[in-house]
Amino acid sequence: MEFVDVSHNSFLVVMSCLVALVAGFTGLSLTRDLGSKPDFEKKALIALAAIALGGGIWAMHFVAMLGLQMPILFYYDAAITLISALTAILIVGAALIILHFTVRNRFTVSLAGGTIGVGILAMHYIGMAGLELCRAVYTPVGVVVSSLAAIMLCILAFGIAYGQRTNRNIFLATLCFAIAVTSVHFLAMAGTKFVAVSDGGEFGPLMSNETLALGVIFFSFVMFGACLWVGVTYLPRPAQNERPSEVKDTPDQELPPLQIPCERDGGKVFVSAKDVVFVRADAHYTQVYTEGERLFCVWSVTEATKRLVPLGFLQTHRSYLMNPSHVVRFERTKDSGRCLFENAETPPVPVSRSKLKAIQDALASQIGAVRAT
């Protein structure tokens, strides 16, 4: 078996590493603060993050492959190349579902990281199977080393990213993800040799390096644009929704006299915001709870959040907004909590795991509230 000589274009190697960094940053940034978002928005952002991370894995691989130089003519099978991209996106999507729709603990984070590592490996070897007029010959050492690198580095990356959802951890996880993706490719390529073959069993239409380059360039531009889009969220922004100066000087920090439109016995009534105990999402509308009543409100929970959070209400859960001045006790369970009110007939308000610390800190200064330990 006669192996052909192989070299790499240094510029495209560097560009492939940059694509991996951009993909990791975009995908991990899209999944920030998902616990506070409605289910539809949460699912849409997870889908976009899967495309960013899975598509980034694919783009990194083929940017590097465009830099592969051999003294023979070779092509790519377009169908297999597409399958490699979709495989990476679907496997990454499955991992993100594990992270955001199950109880998140050390095991599920490790499982999701390992799943993404498997996705990187699957994408690489399926993509390599799409070569035509030459065949890749793998060594056991290259396969084992690249597999271990992919799985361990992805577990590390997502362990960092989901240990604490801070900007610093997202940046560190981005670096680990990029190293994982590039390590798999170049460690696997270091243990791969190529032989020329006279013909191949085409699964789909053939695609030249030039055609592949157009697809990769287009996707990379989209990826860099998405990176700029999510990168804006890290920039310091001017204060918004500030309460007017006359409100800030109000004695005892009372809520401004906002009137919430509600319905009672088929008629419209207006309830002062300071009399509202909490607001709960109810499909496209909300239920407004006072000390003695539950009223229907035409506002969506998004509209209620926009109007009430600047007035001091706290979002304890994606479906709940609470007036902290009515809370008399906070109780914490293992991974969540709840707020209790003076009227025993008023239902308690749940506090999600992602909101625990913020709610505890906000309630610590409330008169009459008892902070659980």
Side-chain angles (χ1 to χ4, degrees):
M1 187 179 296
E2 184 178 351
F3 299 117
V4 300
D5 295 328
V6 174
S7 61
H8 291 85
N9 182 297
S10 300
F11 173 74
L12 289 175
V13 168
V14 173
M15 287 304 297
S16 68
C17 296
L18 181 60
V19 167
L21 277 170
V22 169
F25 175 75
T26 304
L28 292 174
S29 297
L30 284 168
T31 58
R32 289 191 306 166
D33 303 324
L34 287 190
S36 61
K37 300 184 185 299
D39 277 349
F40 177 79
E41 186 177 352
K42 186 176 179 179
K43 292 173 183 177
L45 287 172
I46 286 177
L48 290 175
I51 293 171
L53 292 172
I57 294 168
W58 176 86
M60 178 273 144
H61 172 86
F62 280 102
V63 169
M65 288 301 290
L66 288 172
L68 182 69
Q69 298 171 337
M70 291 189 286
I72 59 173
L73 189 65
F74 62 96
Y75 296 94
Y76 295 92
D77 187 300
I80 294 177
T81 301
L82 178 60
I83 290 172
S84 68
L86 296 178
T87 300
I89 292 171
L90 288 175
I91 292 178
V92 171
L96 293 178
I97 288 172
I98 293 172
L99 285 169
H100 292 280
F101 286 97
T102 64
V103 177
R104 192 183 304 154
N105 51 40
R106 185 172 297 179
F107 171 75
T108 54
V109 172
S110 298
L111 176 63
T115 300
I116 291 177
V118 171
I120 297 173
L121 290 166
M123 187 274 121
H124 176 85
Y125 288 108
I126 292 174
M128 295 295 287
L131 284 170
E132 297 289 346
L133 301 184
C134 74
R135 179 168 59 86
V137 179
Y138 307 110
T139 62
V141 173
V143 174
V144 171
V145 172
S146 63
S147 300
L148 290 175
I151 294 172
M152 298 307 295
L153 285 171
C154 282
I155 290 175
L156 176 62
F158 284 83
I160 293 173
Y162 285 86
Q164 288 185 341
R165 301 290 277 162
T166 62
N167 292 347
R168 175 177 175 274
N169 279 21
I170 287 177
F171 295 146
L172 289 175
T174 295
L175 184 61
C176 289
F177 174 81
I179 293 173
V181 177
T182 54
S183 294
V184 170
H185 179 84
F186 292 112
L187 287 174
M189 292 297 286
T192 303
K193 298 183 183 299
F194 296 89
V195 295
V197 294
S198 58
D199 58 358
E202 294 90 349
F203 181 71
L206 293 182
M207 179 172 56
S208 66
N209 268 4
E210 291 77 10
T211 305
L212 176 64
L214 291 175
V216 171
I217 289 171
F218 174 76
F219 184 84
S220 298
F221 268 97
V222 173
M223 182 71 65
F224 276 81
C227 180
L228 291 175
W229 174 50
V230 299
V232 171
T233 62
Y234 291 90
L235 298 176
R237 288 178 287 181
Q240 294 180 346
N241 296 326
E242 269 199 30
R243 296 167 63 183
S245 57
E246 62 270 16
V247 174
K248 293 182 179 178
D249 297 333
T250 302
D252 299 326
Q253 297 294 316
E254 293 182 356
L255 292 173
L258 174 69
Q259 300 295 312
I260 302 175
C262 299
E263 293 183 10
R264 177 197 293 144
D265 299 327
K268 180 170 287 189
V269 296
F270 291 88
V271 179
S272 175
K274 66 180 181 180
D275 295 328
V276 174
V277 177
F278 68 90
V279 176
R280 177 176 63 84
D282 184 7
H284 297 294
Y285 307 102
T286 51
Q287 299 284 344
V288 173
Y289 287 75
T290 65
E291 285 292 349
E293 290 185 293
R294 182 182 69 177
L295 304 170
F296 174 81
C297 178
V298 295
W299 286 354
S300 66
V301 71
T302 302
E303 178 69 16
T305 301
K306 187 187 303 182
R307 291 175 178 266
L308 296 177
V309 168
L311 305 183
F313 277 66
L314 302 174
Q315 187 170 30
T316 65
H317 184 277
R318 66 174 178 267
S319 300
Y320 285 84
L321 291 167
M322 176 196 68
N323 186 344
S325 64
H326 289 273
V327 177
V328 296
R329 182 174 177 81
F330 174 81
E331 294 181 351
R332 177 171 180 174
T333 58
K334 186 175 181 181
D335 291 321
S336 60
R338 64 177 189 164
C339 296
L340 304 177
F341 308 98
E342 185 174 359
N343 187 343
E345 295 183 359
T346 303
V349 168
V351 180
S352 63
R353 178 179 57 187
S354 62
K355 303 287 187 182
L356 271 177
K357 186 177 185 304
I359 297 300
Q360 282 183 299
D361 291 342
L363 292 178
S365 61
Q366 295 295 319
I367 298 174
V370 179
R371 182 170 179 171
T373 57

